[in-house]
Amino acid sequence: MLEINIKTQPIKKLYNYWLSKAPLGMLPARHDIDPAEMAEFLPHLILLDVQTDPLDFRYRLIGTHISAYLKEDLTSRWMSTLDHQKPPSRIWDNCKKAVETRGPVFPYTPYIGPKQDIVEMEDLILPLARDGINVDMLLVGVTYIHKTTD
């Protein structure tokens, strides 16, 4: 199990859900993931298709919580076509790491976007594999932590 210090409830719930769906020694598949079981944290999710040759990532689904913080709708876009996400970029490298290691990646990805009251974001990248071994999708959870007003 990944030793991480998760701050936000949606990311904690996502991680525990993913662990509960992983067969012993294998990765969960997309068909193991049921959106009805994820209602509490579904708005915080991104689902990425993974293309392996050449490596690329396509935004299949972007939750409503996340889309509210984006400059534009990225649904159906390939990461390689986005200036701030194509290689070399931190987002690309983190997704690549999840594919290569076949394990969770808990990166620190700085928020770059239009909202000025965001202090940080918390994200978690979880691999999915139709055959339990070869990563073909990434399940990503994202929450935004706002400045507190005293």
Side-chain angles (χ1 to χ4, degrees), residues 2-141:
L2 183 66
E3 291 295 323
I4 55 178
N5 182 23
I6 299 174
K7 298 177 185 178
T8 61
Q9 284 302 310
I11 302 302
K12 284 180 187 175
K13 290 177 181 182
L14 170 61
Y15 185 55
N16 289 330
Y17 180 78
W18 180 83
L19 287 173
S20 77
K21 296 298 181 176
L24 189 59
M26 306 282 278
L27 294 172
R30 167 61 187 93
H31 66 263
D32 297 321
I33 306 299
D34 182 356
E37 297 174 346
M38 303 186 301
E40 280 186 82
F41 52 90
L42 194 61
H44 298 267
L45 299 183
I46 295 172
L47 191 58
L48 295 169
D49 290 321
V50 176
Q51 173 185 285
T52 55
D53 191 20
L55 184 64
D56 208 343
F57 310 96
R58 185 178 68 89
Y59 286 90
R60 177 183 287 258
L61 171 106
I62 301 172
T64 56
H65 175 78
I66 299 164
S67 62
Y69 292 90
L70 298 176
K71 293 178 182 178
E72 61 183 300
D73 182 11
L74 301 178
T75 306
S76 298
R77 301 273 310 268
W78 289 96
M79 207 176 276
S80 63
T81 67
L82 303 169
D83 287 338
H84 62 288
Q85 294 185 16
K86 66 183 178 183
S89 74
R90 185 178 290 185
I91 292 172
W92 181 279
D93 291 345
N94 290 332
C95 290
K96 181 180 177 187
K97 182 178 179 183
V99 170
E100 290 175 346
T101 65
R102 298 178 43 242
V105 175
F106 187 68
Y108 172 74
T109 308
Y111 172 71
I112 300 171
K115 308 286 184 178
Q116 299 300 313
D117 65 331
I118 303 295
V119 174
E120 64 180 299
M121 60 182 263
E122 184 171 60
D123 53 338
L124 177 63
I125 304 169
L126 302 167
L128 301 174
R130 187 177 304 116
D131 63 2
I133 299 168
N134 298 297
V135 178
D136 56 9
M137 297 187 97
L138 295 175
L139 183 60
V140 182

